[in-house]
Amino acid sequence: MECPDCQRSIPPDSRFCSYCGQKMKRCLDCELMFDDQAGFCGKCGGELTTAPVPFRPPDETDEAVRAFLYDVDDPDSYFELQRGDNTVGAGGANDVIVDHEAVSWNHAVVICRDDQVFVQDSASTNGTFVDGQPVKKPRRIHHGEVLRFGDPEFAVWLTPSMRTEA
């Protein structure tokens, strides 16, 4: 598949172009990918979406859990974020271990304080993004936003007590 913006070759299952950031849409029925301008699937006619797949948190959760990061393509794959600093990276000592070649050993920190959650890039090689925007300094994150660590994307699910307005 070729990116419609920069014309570079990208994998057919990409959610965005790794070169220019152009978003791609996916048909939920047949799993094909299309550029962000497409409205319907060319194969089955189904509606295309960029929205993350819905996440259902576990029924039993420790009271220290403030949020969850879940894989946008597999909501059954998730990480709990607890009060305090939650490190993200490929290294085994991180709280959130993301085993992917685009993720730095110590990639980012997700900070859960009082009634707010922030993300900070840890000088990673491939960057940290919130809804496609690069994180250059600590940035508050909200329920439903999508965090990208290099290439892997995770949607944010905040516990109800953490969902205050910006």
Side-chain angles (χ1 to χ4, degrees):
M1 171 184 256
E2 212 174 73
C3 174
D5 277 2
C6 71
Q7 308 304 312
R8 292 191 178 175
S9 180
I10 57 174
D13 62 344
S14 296
R15 294 180 58 82
F16 61 92
C17 174
S18 297
Y19 299 101
C20 71
Q22 168 71 34
K23 286 187 176 183
M24 302 289 155
K25 289 185 178 177
R26 179 176 63 175
C27 175
L28 294 178
D29 294 327
C30 64
E31 298 294 316
L32 292 176
M33 301 298 289
F34 296 88
D35 68 70
D36 195 40
Q37 303 302 313
F40 297 93
C41 176
K43 180 179 179 184
C44 71
E47 194 168 342
L48 303 177
T49 183
T50 55
V53 179
F55 171 72
R56 179 172 146 74
D59 293 332
E60 298 288 325
T61 303
D62 185 303
E63 67 182 46
V65 173
R66 296 292 184 253
F68 293 90
L69 290 182
Y70 66 93
D71 185 322
V72 295
D73 294 319
D74 179 14
D76 292 330
S77 177
Y78 63 87
F79 299 97
E80 294 179 346
L81 299 176
Q82 299 199 3
R83 184 178 319 135
D85 294 357
N86 299 267
T87 58
V88 179
N94 287 292
D95 300 304
V96 176
I97 300 170
V98 183
D99 186 19
H100 190 280
E101 65 272 3
V103 177
S104 296
W105 197 254
N106 296 306
H107 198 100
V109 179
V110 179
I111 307 156
C112 298
R113 298 276 191 262
D114 300 322
D115 63 346
Q116 299 179 2
V117 180
F118 297 86
V119 64
Q120 172 61 51
D121 185 73
S122 297
S124 66
T125 301
N126 295 311
T128 300
F129 302 82
V130 177
D131 285 345
Q133 299 300 309
V135 174
K136 301 293 185 190
K137 60 182 182 178
R139 184 196 185 283
R140 185 170 179 191
I141 54 177
H142 299 91
H143 183 72
E145 290 184 311
V146 176
L147 300 183
R148 180 166 40 110
F149 305 105
D151 286 335
E153 290 185 321
F154 297 90
V156 177
W157 192 94
L158 299 179
T159 58
S161 65
M162 299 296 283
R163 295 181 198 175
T164 58
E165 293 300 316

